[in-house]
Amino acid sequence: MPYMTIENDIRLYYTDAGEGKALVFIHPPGMGSNVFAQQQALTANFRVVTYDMRGNGKSSASNKPITISLLTEDLHQLLRSLQIERAIICSYSSGGSVAQAFALRYPEQTEAIVLIGGFPEVRTLWLYFEFLLGIFTAKIGAISLLAKVLGTAHGKSQDEKRAIERYARLANQKDLFSMYKTMLHDRNTEHLAKLTVPLLIIYGNRDYYLHAYETTFKTYVPHARAIYIDKARHQIPTRHADELNAILTSYFLP
């Protein structure tokens, strides 16, 4: 299996397939790269890279406290290792914290960023509650319960639900707790005006508690574009994979 070693003892698991423009996918806490299994179809037109952030999936547990800066640097090192000079950084849900930070720190390596169900900070009550639930389940070590919830919410078939659940169970308890807390308190809004790269935001039209963030993004990033997927809620990479893949293909394929 492909691994990249950083800091001598941290091994990041990744997949790298296809040719063309590089699409790099960032998962939210706990889910790991398996949430992007259906985006492998994009290898017909793109170079598709997925990876497990430290403490998630098949990657090593972290040797230091999780911060957005640390996760951003991990991504930078991964791209350097794969000799990817510029990439379209695609993130799902709270993985967007890393995508936004990466684009701000390394604009020369960022062709564009795509936020699938993304937000610049947690400021809605329902989103705050979801983070607290993740923090609580990680704190008490209920990884199996959280994995079951994630699998049920994201999978369309029983096989897919079980696959997502099994992968989520691989998360390191300490790192998952740290990641949830870090992303809960991450604040990108005040930095968005410095974002110069293209920004594409993709929401489910039934993911109501995130829709208000479109206004925030467009206030600070006037060139941002938002696309809504009909009849979709939050779980776009799995439950609406065909629509997502079609959007990415039409938007970025020459």
Side-chain angles (χ1 to χ4, degrees):
M1 291 184 288
Y3 284 92
M4 182 198 74
T5 301
I6 55 177
E7 300 177 2
N8 297 321
D9 58 350
I10 300 296
R11 302 177 74 219
L12 295 184
Y13 172 79
Y14 70 90
T15 68
D16 180 11
E19 297 179 351
K21 288 185 177 181
L23 297 177
V24 179
F25 289 89
I26 306 173
H27 64 82
M31 298 210 70
S33 58
N34 189 50
V35 72
F36 300 118
Q38 295 187 64
Q39 278 61 67
Q40 291 299 322
L42 291 165
T43 57
N45 295 302
F46 298 95
R47 181 179 181 181
V48 175
V49 175
T50 68
Y51 73 106
D52 294 335
M53 289 189 282
R54 60 172 69 202
N56 290 259
K58 299 175 183 178
S59 290
S60 303
S62 185
N63 57 359
K64 60 184 67 171
I66 298 289
T67 65
I68 300 300
S69 179
L70 178 66
L71 298 176
T72 300
E73 190 58 28
D74 286 349
L75 176 55
H76 174 61
Q77 294 298 327
L78 177 63
L79 295 187
R80 287 186 60 186
S81 176
L82 297 178
Q83 298 182 329
I84 297 176
E85 295 183 0
R86 286 173 61 81
I88 300 163
I89 309 297
C90 305
S91 62
Y92 172 43
S93 193
S94 50
S97 292
V98 180
Q100 292 169 75
F102 184 87
L104 288 166
R105 183 183 298 184
Y106 298 108
E108 71 283 355
Q109 283 188 283
T110 309
E111 184 168 340
I113 59 173
V114 180
L115 305 179
I116 306 161
F119 44 88
E121 62 182 76
V122 177
R123 68 163 187 264
T124 61
L125 184 61
W126 184 251
L127 190 57
Y128 185 74
F129 173 76
E130 284 196 348
F131 269 85
L132 290 184
L133 184 62
I135 289 170
F136 177 73
T137 54
K139 184 176 182 179
I140 65 174
I143 303 297
S144 294
L145 174 60
L146 179 62
K148 172 70 76 173
V149 171
L150 292 172
T152 300
H154 286 81
K156 294 178 70 174
S157 68
Q158 286 302 316
D159 286 345
E160 188 177 26
K161 290 176 182 179
R162 284 191 289 266
I164 293 170
E165 179 183 348
R166 285 195 300 268
Y167 213 84
R169 285 186 179 186
L170 298 175
N172 177 273
Q173 178 186 348
K174 176 178 65 68
D175 291 337
L176 186 60
F177 175 74
S178 178
M179 192 172 291
Y180 271 123
K181 286 192 67 176
T182 295
M183 291 182 174
L184 172 60
H185 299 292
D186 187 46
R187 298 287 184 269
N188 274 315
T189 301
E190 62 185 70
H191 304 298
L192 287 176
K194 301 175 184 177
L195 196 63
T196 58
V197 302
L199 169 61
L200 176 62
I201 315 157
I202 302 174
Y203 290 128
N205 72 343
R206 295 180 180 176
D207 200 7
Y208 304 113
Y209 66 98
L210 290 181
H211 292 176
Y213 288 112
E214 179 192 351
T215 301
T216 302
F217 279 119
K218 289 189 173 180
T219 297
Y220 291 91
V221 190
H223 63 268
R225 179 181 176 187
I227 297 177
Y228 287 77
I229 296 178
D230 190 38
K231 299 179 181 179
R233 296 188 186 277
H234 193 61
Q235 299 82 9
I236 291 173
T238 55
R239 290 187 172 268
H240 297 271
D242 290 344
E243 296 96 320
L244 173 59
N245 293 352
I247 290 169
L248 294 176
T249 300
S250 63
Y251 199 82
F252 294 111
L253 199 63

